[in-house]
Amino acid sequence: GRHQPIGPAMGNCFSTADEGLPRSKANHATSTTGLGGAGTARSARAVLDKHKALIESSSGKGAAWILLNKLDAEGQSHLFSTWPALGSQDESKLQLIEQLLQLDATYSSGGLLGYLQNAKLLLQESREGKNPFDGFAPSVPHGCNLKYGDKDFMEHEGMGMDEVSKAGFVLVAGGLGERLGYSGIKVALPTCLLTNVCFLEYYIQNIIAMQKDGAQIPLAIMTSGDTHEKTKTLLEENSFFGMAESQITLIKQEKVACLIDNDANLALDPKDRFRVQTKPHGHGDVHALMHSSGLAKKWQAAGTKWVIFFQDTNVLVFKAIPAALGVSKQQDYEVNSLAVPRRAKEAIGAITTLTKDSGEKMTINVEYNQLDPLLRATTYPDGDVNDETGYSPFPGNINQLIFKIDPYVQKLEETKGVI
């Protein structure tokens, strides 16, 4: 377990991976939709004016007119500059307008315009080679090293088992199993070919086994448009694998717009110019969903003390969660990041404490390709090297987190989960 005080890098904005980094990557599409210049902008203005009544006939009414004008001013005129004359394909135009309104409502930090402005800033910083850790000195994080099964581990596991009835579990399960050659959702994959028990059943059975004295431990599952209905069906067809239906909450993440280039132009679908391409928002969405759904506050009001986040295909994590929870209780950690031994320069992110001269400090994941040059440029001239244990002193990040619920809810209130 590693100490990770709640800081400015808990979530991500429009990334497809690597939540917890102090920078994000915009979703890029492979579309080759053409973009125009000043002439296109002038024609787009005329197109909007001629379509004002149609635009305001959408569900957004006047708000739709304002949004499209703001998008035009933001350099997104290619979205409508090639529209045919009024009266031709009006239903398709309304389809695009409704999608833009939905995308605007989905992004909680400034709407679609905020998303684009943030994307432009991050893309600019990337082009300029800006170091996201500039001014920070890295050091080995404070933590507790446990060896599975030894006396220290068992003592912490016992502490954790006393606390687990006060915990809520959050499964991040928005992905499909495409990279594994599987057409279904990853949580439906078997954990073992002998038993054919799927990941979701395994997780639920572990949570049920940890319940004591009639307590019902709540489980939230973050789904996506790709996985929501399949996850719901898997649960219903298997009677929720023995868990009470009331214990389980599905929170669905929405998709966000893809960008076509480093100028953050929205990508239109090459097969449908009246539809913006979209992609899942990334695992960092879970915090915004815990806030917007009201679930974090609901759990807090019900007496939950801890929130445990785990990933969709890691059966071994439940062997460590009780002991890690015991560490959180004993050390009074606000955030505890489970980590694994990591060889120096191994291709896995590393939990690292970063400190500025001002005293500002955060303990976060630093990607392996950033860690070694950061160490060499600051406090460790030899870079990322193994110590006497044969491993790097900077442990490997596996994205399994335990949050103390009170400071977590407070941070969600301050940020709406977008950090």
Side-chain angles (χ1 to χ4, degrees), residues 304-376:
T304 298
K305 302 297 183 186
W306 309 96
V307 184
I308 301 172
F309 294 88
F310 65 106
Q311 304 296 311
D312 49 12
T313 49
N314 187 344
V315 293
L316 294 178
V317 71
F318 274 88
K319 306 293 186 187
I321 281 176
L325 183 56
V327 171
S328 290
K329 171 65 175 178
Q330 184 188 57
Q331 301 290 336
D332 196 30
Y333 285 164
E334 289 183 355
V335 181
N336 185 358
S337 181
L338 277 73
V340 295
R342 173 186 161 276
R343 303 283 185 189
K345 301 179 182 63
E346 186 177 352
I348 178 176
I351 302 298
T352 309
T353 293
L354 301 174
T355 308
K356 279 190 172 181
D357 290 340
S358 63
E360 178 186 351
K361 180 184 291 188
M362 57 183 176
T363 302
I364 63 170
N365 176 69
V366 175
E367 286 304 308
Y368 70 94
N369 59 342
Q370 294 176 312
L371 179 64
D372 189 67
L374 176 65
L375 293 172
R376 291 178 184 276

Side-chain angles (χ1 to χ4, degrees), residues 40 67 78 122 204 214 277 297 342 389:
T40 303
L67 175 61
H78 64 286
L122 292 170
I204 287 176
Q277 288 183 283
K297 291 188 75 172
R342 173 186 161 276
T389 67

Side-chain angles (χ1 to χ4, degrees), residues 57-126:
S57 72
S58 69
S59 63
K61 302 186 184 305
W65 172 251
I66 293 171
L67 175 61
L68 265 65
N69 276 273
K70 286 183 176 179
L71 287 170
D72 181 35
E74 193 66 27
Q76 304 292 331
S77 58
H78 64 286
L79 296 175
F80 29 78
S81 61
T82 60
W83 280 4
L86 187 64
S88 175
Q89 295 184 277
D90 285 354
E91 288 300 317
S92 296
K93 296 169 191 173
L94 283 170
Q95 168 191 292
L96 175 60
I97 294 167
E98 294 295 344
Q99 186 192 20
L100 291 170
L101 287 166
Q102 181 184 12
L103 290 170
D104 186 58
T106 297
Y107 194 71
S108 58
S109 183
L112 189 53
L113 272 295
Y115 175 79
L116 293 170
Q117 290 161 2
N118 198 18
K120 287 181 179 180
L121 174 63
L122 292 170
L123 289 165
Q124 179 183 346
E125 291 177 351
S126 177

Side-chain angles (χ1 to χ4, degrees), residues 118-193:
N118 198 18
K120 287 181 179 180
L121 174 63
L122 292 170
L123 289 165
Q124 179 183 346
E125 291 177 351
S126 177
R127 285 196 302 272
E128 294 172 352
K130 184 175 180 180
N131 180 1
F133 305 117
D134 189 37
F136 283 98
S139 60
V140 177
H142 178 269
C144 180
N145 294 315
L146 299 178
K147 183 178 180 181
Y148 183 75
D150 69 8
K151 181 180 178 182
D152 196 26
F153 181 95
M154 299 303 290
E155 288 177 353
H156 282 93
E157 184 177 67
M159 294 181 218
M161 287 302 295
D162 290 338
E163 289 292 308
V164 75
S165 60
K166 307 168 192 172
F169 285 78
V170 182
L171 169 59
V172 181
L176 296 169
E178 294 169 329
R179 284 180 293 180
L180 303 173
Y182 181 64
S183 59
I185 55 176
K186 285 195 283 186
V187 291
L189 283 164
T191 59
C192 173
L193 293 178

